[in-house]
Amino acid sequence: MKLRLCAIGRMKAGAEKELAEDYLKRARTLGRQIGLTGIDVVDAAETVHDQPHVRIARDAETLHGLYPKGIFAVALDGKGKTLSTGQLTEFLQRHLDGGTLQIAFLIGGPDGHAPETLKSAGLVLSFGPMTWPHRLVRVMLAEQIYRTVTIMVNHPYHRS
């Protein structure tokens, strides 16, 4: 299975980008043991427009172009379902065992996801009710992916 992190907004050089890349590099390395064939990050610049509804719609079009149609999508949204790390691990393990070829994690722009994106996602996932900056969401997602992989390979990183 392959994971793809699709985001509206590009990461600039800095601590957050380095940290996210480090977690993903570690996850790629350990993930081979469980059949994780790759983790890609693709992003696009935010839409520039005065009207939020126009930005959301254009960002949605851009976001949907970052991953192939027909793959399982997980949209990150503050109003989504909260999962524990164990539940996220179970979710990914079910997809690995079930033969899912690819999962796309979708990070929207500053105005959030379009309703169509949320409707079409197989899972709408929340990191809690607080609003998180785009850069930190990427780091948190990368860390949780790494953490789930360490749990699956019985690495001592995670402590419950």
Side-chain angles (χ1 to χ4, degrees):
M1 180 171 72
K2 187 175 193 176
L3 303 180
R4 177 170 279 205
L5 283 63
C6 304
I8 297 297
R10 300 197 191 273
M11 288 281 277
K12 295 181 176 97
E16 297 93 345
K17 184 174 183 175
E18 289 175 20
L19 188 55
E21 287 174 352
D22 181 56
Y23 281 125
L24 294 176
K25 179 181 174 187
R26 292 182 195 191
R28 286 180 192 105
T29 301
L30 282 178
R32 286 185 277 243
Q33 296 177 39
I34 56 168
L36 194 57
T37 59
I39 304 172
D40 295 335
V41 177
V42 291
D43 55 24
E46 297 170 15
T47 299
V48 178
H49 197 278
D50 291 341
Q51 302 288 327
H53 69 279
V54 174
R55 282 194 308 266
I56 291 170
R58 289 184 182 167
D59 283 348
E61 289 174 16
T62 300
L63 189 61
H64 289 284
L66 298 180
Y67 64 97
K69 290 189 185 329
I71 70 169
F72 194 94
V74 176
L76 277 76
D77 185 85
K79 296 179 187 108
K81 184 175 184 176
T82 56
L83 298 179
S84 68
T85 299
Q87 290 170 318
L88 181 61
T89 303
E90 290 169 6
F91 166 80
L92 288 175
Q93 188 67 60
R94 275 194 315 271
H95 279 275
L96 268 167
D97 294 344
T100 300
L101 298 177
Q102 192 171 158
I103 295 176
F105 289 90
L106 313 178
I107 301 171
D111 298 300
H113 287 293
E116 305 80 40
T117 301
L118 297 174
K119 233 181 268 181
S120 67
L123 172 65
V124 180
L125 178 65
S126 174
F127 285 149
M130 293 180 182
T131 302
W132 294 100
H134 179 269
R135 297 178 313 209
L136 289 183
V137 168
R138 281 213 213 187
V139 172
M140 294 186 325
L141 178 58
E143 193 280 338
Q144 284 298 294
I145 289 170
Y146 172 63
R147 186 175 292 272
T148 61
V149 169
T150 64
I151 291 168
M152 288 186 230
V153 300
N154 294 313
H155 185 281
Y157 177 75
H158 178 73
R159 291 163 179 80
S160 30

